[in-house]
Structures are given as structure tokens and as C-alpha cells.
Amino acid sequence: MTLGSEVDGRMSGALPIHEFIAPGATLGVMGGGQLARMFAHAAQQMGYAVAVLDPDPTSPAGLVAHHHIRSGYQDAAGLAELTQCSAAITTEFENVPASALATLAASRPVAPGAAGVAVCQDRAAEKAHFVRCGVPCAPHALIESAAQLARIDASLLPGILKTTRLGYDGKGQVRVSGRDELAAAWADLGSVSCVLEKMLPLAFEISVIVARGADGAVVHLPAQQNLHRDGVLAVTRVPAPNLGAELQATAVAAAGRIATTLGYVGVLCVEFFVLQDGSLVANEMAPRPHNSGHYSIDACDVSQFDLQVRAMTGAPLVAPRLHSPCVMLNLLGDLWFPAGRKVEPDWAEVLALPGVHLHLYGKAEARAGRKMGHLTVTAADAMQADAVARQAAARLGLEAW
Ligand code: ADP
Ligand code: MG
């Protein structure tokens, strides 16, 4: 295998991964949230040291990393320190400043590279990329001026107005039924650059995680079916109960094409809608491991975090295998406030159930909507996983699905 030889110019100058970075080296991460924490666990298991750059002294990954650089994401001294101690660098969030990634890439391999991350930072660029790859996305229009707002085609309404940049977990988006609501919503969002998407009749939602190596090899995790509540992921089930084999293959191929056409190296998650007529539409993508892929830690023989370690170190990518059907439940801070008063959830009660894997991210303060952890229920078959997950949800006071 000739690692790194095919990394092309679209990696925006990032140094290619010339040779395998062996365990013992230090891997750097921009951001110290739960994704970086689980990345650190995977990297450390394989014998790497981990350096995290995050200004928060109590960041979940900073607490478990070998080195925690407490600086801002654009701080020159902090970036220099991260470069100095890391053999390769990755990011746990897509809104890392492009200039920071470019600075790091001048002296270390950075995966994913700034060019791929830039596309994921911008909903309009993301959709243009889907179209370029021959992957359908929702009918949409860009709104950056009052003139563009006035010209919106009526066929896009009712729709969802989304800020082009910085939206996540349903934030930065408003559902609008007509022109008046659209105008008010655009003003409410600060008249910033937005995309108006036609409201589509969803049957269900899935996502696919792929990893691409510097040699161009692409592997994928099995597609997961996702249920969102208030714009935030609540439940992930694998295998996806409503997804046929043919549509799954189409989604996996589309995600692979999206990564390959970007010249991407690392883990990439693509979210799709399955519409009521059975068609598949790409929604958005994330240039990193994804909340919907957390199940892979306990249910697959190679997790999304293992894949990120392998991709950035130039290790071979092998196809992950789902060894146990599973259900993942997100644990939001709301769980800590069952009747308005703070109470620690009764973990012993859920841990009494078979196949429960509890993950808490070490965040000291529970707040409504804050991602505090997740739990994955694995079982010998999907029905059993679903039944135990429902018991776990009931014991925690989570809504069933
Ligand atoms: P975020 O970055 O907040 O995850 P998404 O674009 O994924 O933003 O939207 C959040 C959720 O809103 C989706 O998971 C889906 O449930 C719903 N949604 C988004 N766009 C559409 C659409 N065009 N039609 C119907 N539902 C949508
Ligand atoms: Mg989303």
C-alpha cells in the first residue's frame, strides 16, 4: 500500500501522511469536547499519546489527554505548541477556523484537511458538493439579500430557513409556512446568509459514517437510523429497522463518493432523509466522528474513533463489522432535572439491565439540552436490543420511540 502518495492538491497544502505514524507518537486534536474525549480513549488504547487544544480547563477531553493546551483556537502560541508535540492533528468540530487548520497543516499532516472542512462549514457549499457528486439534496435557495428574499420561488414553501454557517442541533433554523413568516424568520436570524430548504415529507432519517485513508481506501460503518427530538439526536438504531439493503447500498456509495470527490482523509458522517416515496436525499455532513456513530464503540469491532486514529496515522483501514444489533440513547442534561430540581439519574438501575454500556463525558454541570453522555444497548438480536433499550429509557424517564 502506498500511503499518502495520492493525496492531491485539494487537501489545501496539508502535508500528506507519508508513512505510518506508529503507536507511541502523540496525536493532536482541535477541541476538547466529548468527541475528542472518545477519540482520546481510542488513540490511547492503541498506545498513542493525545494532545488536546481547548480553552476550557474542564473540557471533557482535556481531563483525559496527556497534554491539554489551554488556548484559543486561533492563538499562535497554542497552535505552535500543538504542532510541536503532535505527529498528526485532527479536529473534533467543523467550525474550527480555516486559518488555524492551514497554520497546523504547514508543518504537520492534518486530517481532515482545511478544504474538506470548509465545505462542511457552509450549507450552500455542502449542497453544491452533493449535487456535484450526483447525490440528490432538498430543493433550496440561498438568501443573502432582501432582493434574493423577494425572489424566492413559492415552490420552496413551506420550508426551513437555516443559517448557512454555524447551525447545529436544530439551532439556527426556523420552519416557515409562507412569505411573511420567511421574512420575519430571516430578520430574526439577523439577516445573515441563509439557505431556504423545501420542507420534505420524511419517512425516517439515517446517517452513514465513512472513513477514507490517505491512499484513497474507503470503509464504512453500517447505516444507522436516527430519531431527533427538538432538532437533537435522541435515539439511534442499528441495523436501521426501516432501511432496505438496496437503499443502504445507495447511501453508502453516495457517502463514499462525497468523501472521495473532496479528496477527504478521515472520518466523515453524511446525514440522509428517506422520503415517504422511498427516495434518498442527502441533508448535511460532518467532517468528524458523529453523535449517531457512538454506537460503533460497543457494537462494532472497529469504532468510528478507531477509524479516525487509523486514517490520520496512515494505518490500514479495515471494514468494520457490526457484531451486535444495538440501540443508542442520548443522555441530555434534562435527565438530571426530572421535576425541576437537580437529581443524579439512578445509573445502578439501568446498569442492572443486560448489554447496557454507559458513557458519561465527565461534564461537571448538567444543563437542559447539554449532551452529558449516551448509552448503548447491545444484544444478540435487534428485537432484544430494542426491548432492553425501552426498559432503560423507561427507568431513566426518557420518552419511548
Ligand atoms: P442540524 O445542523 O441542526 O442538525 P439539520 O439540517 O440536520 O440541522 O436539521 C435538523 C433536523 O430538522 C433534521 O434532522 C430533520 O429532522 C429536520 N429537517 C431539516 N431539514 C429538513 C427538510 N428540508 N425537510 C424536513 N425536515 C427537515
Ligand atoms: Mg443534522
Side-chain angles (χ1 to χ4, degrees):
M1 190 159 34
T2 50
L3 291 169
S5 58
E6 279 136 60
V7 174
D8 56 37
R10 283 169 296 185
M11 289 292 292
S12 76
L15 293 185
I17 301 162
H18 282 299
E19 53 190 43
F20 175 49
I21 297 168
T26 298
L27 304 180
V29 199
M30 289 291 277
Q34 62 267 16
L35 297 175
R37 179 177 168 109
M38 289 180 269
F39 167 83
H41 292 330
Q44 289 167 342
Q45 178 173 310
M46 286 171 69
Y48 293 96
V50 173
V52 164
L53 187 147
D54 189 308
D56 176 2
T58 64
S59 74
L63 295 174
V64 303
H66 293 73
H67 312 280
H68 181 185
I69 301 161
R70 289 171 203 174
S71 86
Y73 298 114
Q74 304 203 69
D75 181 272
L79 293 174
E81 197 181 337
L82 184 67
T83 321
Q84 219 160 26
C85 68
S86 309
I89 297 165
T90 188
T91 176
E92 69 141 10
F93 66 113
E94 56 266 47
N95 292 316
V96 57
S99 59
L101 282 187
T103 303
L104 298 170
S107 47
R108 289 288 181 273
V110 174
V117 173
V119 173
C120 300
Q121 286 176 343
D122 183 305
R123 285 190 194 273
E126 203 167 66
K127 287 185 190 328
H129 183 68
F130 294 153
V131 171
R132 215 167 19 243
C133 296
V135 179
C137 61
H140 64 279
L142 189 63
I143 301 180
E144 291 185 303
S145 68
Q148 281 172 321
L149 178 72
R151 277 202 302 274
I152 284 299
D153 195 294
S155 68
L156 293 179
L157 295 165
I160 306 189
L161 184 67
K162 304 178 180 178
T163 57
T164 307
R165 304 178 79 85
L166 300 174
Y168 70 100
D169 287 345
K171 294 183 179 68
Q173 57 178 263
V174 186
R175 295 177 177 225
V176 293
S177 56
R179 286 187 181 281
D180 292 348
E181 275 183 30
L182 172 62
W186 190 55
D188 273 355
L189 290 173
S191 304
V192 295
S193 172
C194 284
V195 169
L196 176 68
E197 270 180 49
K198 186 181 171 65
M199 180 77 80
L200 298 174
L202 310 190
F204 57 93
E205 298 185 55
I206 62 161
S207 49
V208 174
I209 288 165
V210 293
R212 184 170 181 273
D215 62 346
V218 178
V219 298
H220 66 90
L221 289 168
Q224 52 269 19
Q225 186 164 328
N226 304 320
L227 176 71
H228 296 89
R229 293 203 181 105
D230 300 325
V232 185
L233 182 66
V235 182
T236 290
R237 288 175 289 170
V238 192
N242 302 109
L243 185 67
E246 208 174 307
L247 208 53
Q248 160 139 237
T250 305
V252 165
R257 226 159 45 239
I258 286 165
T260 298
T261 313
L262 270 181
Y264 190 90
V265 176
V267 169
L268 177 81
C269 178
V270 185
E271 296 181 6
F272 296 92
F273 301 142
V274 179
L275 305 189
Q276 282 164 17
D277 66 3
S279 60
L280 189 75
V281 167
N283 172 34
E284 61 169 351
M285 58 180 173
R288 51 172 171 77
H290 191 258
N291 194 165
S292 67
H294 292 351
Y295 77 89
S296 60
I297 299 173
D298 301 302
C300 294
D301 56 6
V302 182
S303 78
Q304 61 170 349
F305 299 102
D306 296 329
L307 290 175
Q308 187 76 321
V309 173
R310 284 173 179 248
M312 74 186 287
T313 58
L317 293 178
V318 295
R321 182 179 65 86
L322 181 80
H323 55 67
S324 304
C326 66
V327 178
M328 187 222 53
L329 307 177
N330 247 0
L331 305 174
L332 302 182
D334 310 65
L335 258 188
W336 275 249
F337 300 94
R341 253 181 343 108
K342 190 172 178 190
V343 185
E344 188 70 18
D346 189 345
W347 301 122
E349 219 187 338
V350 284
L351 288 169
L353 294 167
V356 165
H357 308 264
L358 178 65
H359 298 251
L360 292 171
Y361 306 145
K363 298 182 184 179
E365 195 194 336
R367 287 194 301 270
R370 191 173 197 205
K371 289 179 181 170
M372 300 297 290
H374 69 270
L375 69 82
T376 303
V377 177
T378 54
D381 64 64
M383 260 175 61
Q384 173 80 6
D386 196 72
V388 175
R390 282 170 193 277
Q391 284 179 284
R395 290 185 186 188
L396 287 169
L398 289 169
E399 206 182 311
W401 46 95

